Amino acid sequence: MSNGNIVDIINVLHEKGIKNSEIARDIGVSESSVSLWSSGKRTPTTPVVNLILDFYGIKENSISKSPDYVLINSDHELEKIKNEFDLDNISAAIIAEYSKLSKKEKQICSDFIQTVLKRAEKADAPDIHVEIHNK
């Protein structure tokens, strides 16, 4: 993977509304580093480029002569999740967004859900339950 296309990669993320501060947080670097990369003034190491590509699910379109980077089709991924777990649109969207969270953010969500479920049990609320069915 060429480091020379980091500007293109970051531009794809910007087009999707992802800010430099979010990229920095997600991959564990300073915002100033991401800013230098996006302006072309500096180039990250190959492992960092690969981390960005993997973290955001960016694939290189090898058909064209100059690499073109695109995010994985989120509609396709959403449909795949819906079919695999037999979910409605909202549930699948929640899972898709959850998969983008950092490890710490996932733990916060998990803790919150556990708290809600415990409160529901104490309130003897039989209508609150969580089920996931694989097809």
Side-chain angles (χ1 to χ4, degrees):
M1 190 63 56
S2 169
N3 293 351
N5 295 315
I6 189 66
V7 174
D8 295 333
I9 295 167
I10 293 176
N11 282 338
V12 168
L13 296 174
H14 289 167
E15 289 170 10
K16 296 295 182 182
I18 301 169
K19 300 175 184 172
N20 284 354
S21 59
E22 295 170 298
I23 298 168
R25 179 200 67 217
D26 292 341
I27 65 167
V29 299
S30 70
E31 187 176 347
S32 62
S33 291
V34 177
S35 180
L36 289 169
W37 301 337
S38 66
S39 67
K41 293 180 181 174
R42 296 268 166 87
T43 304
T45 63
T46 299
V48 172
V49 172
N50 290 335
L51 176 64
I52 294 168
L53 294 173
D54 291 343
F55 186 88
Y56 290 104
I58 300 172
K59 297 291 183 194
E60 182 177 359
N61 180 357
S62 57
I63 296 171
S64 65
K65 287 185 180 178
S66 65
D68 182 27
Y69 296 92
V70 295
L71 289 175
I72 291 175
N73 182 337
S74 60
D75 291 338
H76 172 72
E77 292 299 317
L78 191 61
E79 199 60 37
K80 188 172 145 185
I81 291 168
K82 281 174 51 180
N83 291 333
E84 184 176 344
F85 294 102
D86 193 23
L87 301 173
D88 59 27
N89 286 339
I90 294 172
S91 299
I94 290 169
I95 291 172
E97 291 303 313
Y98 177 83
S99 69
K100 298 175 188 174
L101 298 175
S102 70
K103 192 173 187 178
K104 183 178 179 181
E105 290 166 331
K106 286 179 181 178
Q107 185 59 52
I108 291 168
C109 288
S110 178
D111 293 346
F112 174 75
I113 292 168
Q114 292 303 318
T115 299
V116 169
L117 291 173
K118 285 178 185 175
R119 286 184 184 171
E121 282 179 14
K122 287 181 183 177
D124 196 31
D127 58 330
I128 299 176
H129 63 281
V130 176
E131 292 182 30
I132 297 180
H133 301 279
N134 284 334
K135 281 188 169 182

